[in-house]
Amino acid sequence: MAGLNNSGVVPTDELATGSATSTTFLRGDGTWATPTVPAAQSPAYASYYSNDYPSSNSVPSGQSAISFNTASVNVGSAITVSGSTITISTNGTYLMSVSGIVQEYIFETTDPTSLSFTAGFESQQHGTSSWQQVQPFPATTHSSWTPADQTGFIYGFAVSASLNVSQMVTVTNAPVTFNMLINNSSSSYYVTVSNPILNVIKLD
């Protein structure tokens, strides 16, 4: 049994092995140990948008990648964006999100008009030629119609819907390239994506 010193407390050298200092703590195995401080994580955050509406993101029938041409914030070097190409160069977990407005531009018509699209991310490992869908894919689906008797939409947008996609991805073999895809299956040939905004943040 450990004895008490003149102050009535057990001496630190009898409590455990090692040196008791202001930077050590008493472990359960009877050792004075220095805490392990995790290495500081380099922040990484990017926010981009497209400001040359509507020409940059006119989406024909079928699948197209959305472009983000202007950086509002880019912190760190792990995330780079060039047009529709999103490159992540550091392993880790990332939250990727895209928002915008999808609109169908039509002429005056008495026919019912549909706005239908799906959207999601795809990825490509550098050094490979194949793209893989980021699951779940698609991440969002939309379909809506105007009634057949709605007329008077002359050179205007008749149907619109919000686009909101958020997905968490884990990169284990950087660098990896991502695209944000929208698949247009609307009744007219073109839809437009206005005010698209991309946010990517490294979580660990």
Side-chain angles (χ1 to χ4, degrees):
M1 180 179 293
L4 303 180
N5 60 18
N6 292 334
S7 299
V9 297
V10 178
T12 57
D13 59 353
E14 295 189 37
L15 285 174
T17 59
S19 300
T21 69
S22 60
T23 60
T24 58
F25 69 100
L26 179 59
R27 289 196 325 205
D29 62 356
T31 303
W32 292 105
T34 301
T36 300
V37 179
Q41 298 293 324
S42 299
Y45 175 77
S47 181
Y48 281 72
Y49 64 96
S50 181
N51 64 350
D52 55 350
Y53 165 83
S55 60
S56 67
N57 285 303
S58 293
V59 181
S61 293
Q63 189 166 269
S64 301
I66 298 177
S67 293
F68 308 93
N69 298 322
T70 304
S72 54
V73 177
N74 197 333
V75 177
S77 59
I79 306 163
T80 56
V81 179
S82 178
S84 62
T85 302
I86 308 159
T87 302
I88 293 179
S89 57
T90 303
N91 291 342
T93 303
Y94 295 79
L95 179 62
M96 308 174 66
S97 65
V98 172
S99 62
I101 302 295
V102 182
Q103 298 174 311
E104 184 181 17
Y105 188 71
I106 67 167
F107 299 99
E108 182 176 6
T109 179
T110 58
D111 297 326
T113 300
S114 71
L115 175 63
S116 300
F117 64 88
T118 61
F121 289 99
E122 67 174 357
S123 66
Q124 182 187 52
Q125 184 71 48
H126 278 218
T128 67
S129 59
S130 62
W131 288 86
Q132 305 294 325
Q133 295 174 343
V134 177
Q135 299 301 320
F137 189 95
T140 188
T141 301
H142 175 83
S143 182
S144 59
W145 291 79
T146 59
D149 60 350
Q150 282 200 13
T151 60
F153 294 105
I154 303 175
Y155 301 103
F157 290 111
V159 190
S160 64
S162 61
L163 170 66
N164 292 289
V165 175
S166 293
Q167 284 186 271
M168 191 176 299
V169 297
T170 300
V171 175
T172 58
N173 192 15
V176 176
T177 298
F178 293 87
N179 281 337
M180 175 64 198
L181 299 177
I182 182 167
N183 187 40
N184 171 28
S185 56
S186 302
S187 56
S188 64
Y189 183 68
Y190 276 97
V191 298
T192 58
V193 182
S194 62
N195 304 319
I197 298 174
L198 165 72
N199 290 297
V200 185
I201 185 170
K202 190 172 186 292
L203 301 178
D204 58 10

